[in-house]
Amino acid sequence: MKTLLGKLVINYPYLFAVVLFIIGTIIVLTRDNLFKKLIGINIMESAIFIVFIAAGNIRGGAVPILDGGRADTVYINPLPSALMLTGIVVSVSVTAFALALIIRLYKSYGTTSARRIAEMRNEVLKHDSSHQS
Amino acid sequence: MHFTSADYWIMVLLLTLVIASLSMLFIKDLLHAVIVFGVYSLIMALIWLLMNTPDLAITEAAAGICTTVLMMAVIFRTSRKEE
Amino acid sequence: MRIRKLLIIIVALLAAYGILVAVAELPPYGMADNPVHNHVSERYINKALDETGVTNMVTAIVLDYRAYDTMFETIVLFTAALAVVITLKVSKRKEKG
Amino acid sequence: MRDFILKRVAVIILPLMSIYGFYVILHGHVSPGGSFAGGIIVGLSFITYSTVYGLERGKVKLPERILTLVESYGTLWYGIMGIVGILKGAPFLSNKLAGFNLGEPGSLTSGGLISLLGIGVGIRVASTIITLFYAMGEEES
């Protein structure tokens, strides 16, 4: 089992995390709608979370909450979950601010499509430059 | 290297995540996409419960629902169709 | 536009192959002797009860060992709420006046 | 939204949601959960109220002025709790060195500074979530 596929089956959470990350990238890059781009960013973030949590996990280990006397318990690493707790809250803040910007853009341009917003901006800029000269 | 039953459950749930995120590419109605996103974060909470981090599971379930609710509120203010 | 999307997908798949080759060389998932479980996590697991008095180690790390981190995290959330309110309320005032 | 069934169900569910959120906040140091998750659950209960009964009645119940105060003083609470350590001659935000009583492990009053910080963070996360919903859920500005 020294081939690439064999190693990837052993490391299956990383495999799925990479697939999720690439799907998120494709959603961000190929969809025009701003909501779809936001959802893609959220998917990419969750792929990063999966990598960190899988790195700290132990197969058959115990939850990092002390249970008294038993001395032979193998606890999992509590550090990645504490770091990712911060990451989740930051992701909620980023999503909220992006949603506010989407509302603002919709009020100004009347659409949530990034391509049409860019076209409108180009027209306005062209009009301004011709007006000045 | 032997897999336990928790490993197989994590594999099934991760496969469901991949299917949900692939469906995000093809859904045209934004409201449906946001509902699928809520399901996505719920499955993610289940995965973290199986990966021995219940703190993160509770936080992810709450934060995912919060994000979904905010996105729905914004969708009802803007347009629902993806152009 | 169609060629651009096709190009994006091809480049993304190439990047996926590169990342997968790198990811396959990581230490095997779920083993107790991985290099992640070093002296730092051992110290948190063994000393958390004596030094902080709580049984949930994640809370001990978040609110005691790395309390500065949590402080600036709450400031991040505060700043996000501030930015949202400013972005939405300013536009309302401009439309009124 | 003027649905009869929604209103009656909300009356039954809302107190339980709030109590569960405060339970998660207060027990964050002895069981899974924590201040962030509990704060978001408390915030979601008020969001449910203002979704079912209308945003105007929600704003009457919990005005934006109170939310702003809670948000600002929740952030300040963290700093004040840290300065207690400096007054006692220990580093900023120190727990055991500053002489907080750690209590018996596993009980609700254990942890000293940790449970105090957790309550502050939870309440301010709840108010932030409600503020975000009020800002985004307004129908027509």
Side-chain angles (χ1 to χ4, degrees), chain B residues 11-52:
Chain B
M11 273 186 206
V12 170
L13 289 173
L14 281 170
L15 205 62
T16 321
L17 275 191
V18 172
I19 293 169
S21 58
L22 269 181
S23 73
M24 228 70 100
L25 271 170
F26 302 109
I27 295 176
K28 290 293 177 199
D29 196 337
L30 286 178
L31 191 61
H32 297 178
V34 170
I35 290 169
V36 172
F37 183 70
V39 176
Y40 179 93
S41 50
L42 185 63
I43 295 170
M44 187 141 259
L46 284 178
I47 287 175
W48 283 338
L49 201 59
L50 285 175
M51 281 192 180
N52 292 328

Side-chain angles (χ1 to χ4, degrees), chain C residues 49-56 59 63-64 67-68 70-71 73-75 77-78 81 84-85 88-89 92 95, chain D residues 28-31 36 64 71 75 78 92-93 95-96 102 105 110-111 114 117 124-125 128 131-132 135 138 141:
Chain C
L49 191 59
D50 300 333
E51 287 178 354
T52 65
V54 300
T55 51
N56 189 348
T59 306
L63 285 178
D64 194 322
Y68 278 101
T70 310
M71 183 168 113
E73 179 188 353
T74 56
I75 291 177
L77 202 58
F78 182 74
V84 167
V85 169
L88 295 177
K89 289 289 161 67
K92 186 201 285 184
E95 276 174 11
Chain D
H29 50 89
V30 292
S31 64
F36 290 107
E64 278 175 332
E71 221 168 297
T75 312
Y78 210 101
F92 188 64
L93 280 174
N95 186 4
K96 194 181 179 182
L102 291 188
S110 66
I114 290 178
L117 288 182
R124 76 165 305 305
V125 168
T128 306
T131 308
L132 288 178
E138 275 173 322
S141 55

Side-chain angles (χ1 to χ4, degrees), chain D residues 27-91:
Chain D
H27 288 253
H29 50 89
V30 292
S31 64
S35 43
F36 290 107
I40 293 177
I41 293 170
V42 173
L44 281 175
S45 70
F46 278 102
I47 287 178
T48 313
Y49 181 83
S50 43
T51 310
V52 173
Y53 284 89
L55 210 57
E56 292 78 19
R57 282 188 67 179
K59 279 187 181 173
V60 169
K61 198 71 110 182
L62 201 63
E64 278 175 332
R65 196 167 48 82
I66 292 178
L67 283 179
T68 313
L69 285 180
V70 170
E71 221 168 297
S72 315
Y73 284 103
T75 312
L76 199 60
W77 169 258
Y78 210 101
I80 291 171
M81 281 295 119
I83 285 176
V84 169
I86 292 183
L87 292 182
K88 293 273 185 71

Side-chain angles (χ1 to χ4, degrees), chain A residues 9 12 16 20 31 35-36 39 42 46 49-50 53 57 59 61 63-64 76 85 88 95 106 111 116, chain B residues 3 7 11 14-15 21 24-25 27 37 40 44 48 51-52 54 56 59-60 67 74-75 78 82-83:
Chain A
V9 169
Y12 66 94
F16 282 109
L20 280 177
R31 298 290 122 175
F35 270 108
K36 283 290 183 66
I39 289 175
N42 271 302
S46 57
F49 296 162
I50 287 177
I53 294 302
N57 193 13
R59 188 176 281 119
V63 168
I76 70 160
L85 211 60
I88 287 177
T95 309
Y106 186 78
T111 178
R116 289 188 53 195
Chain B
F3 286 166
D7 282 322
M11 273 186 206
L14 281 170
L15 205 62
S21 58
M24 228 70 100
L25 271 170
I27 295 176
F37 183 70
Y40 179 93
M44 187 141 259
W48 283 338
M51 281 192 180
N52 292 328
L56 216 52
T59 309
E60 170 69 27
T67 310
V74 176
I75 278 181
T78 62
E82 181 186 10
E83 306 167 40

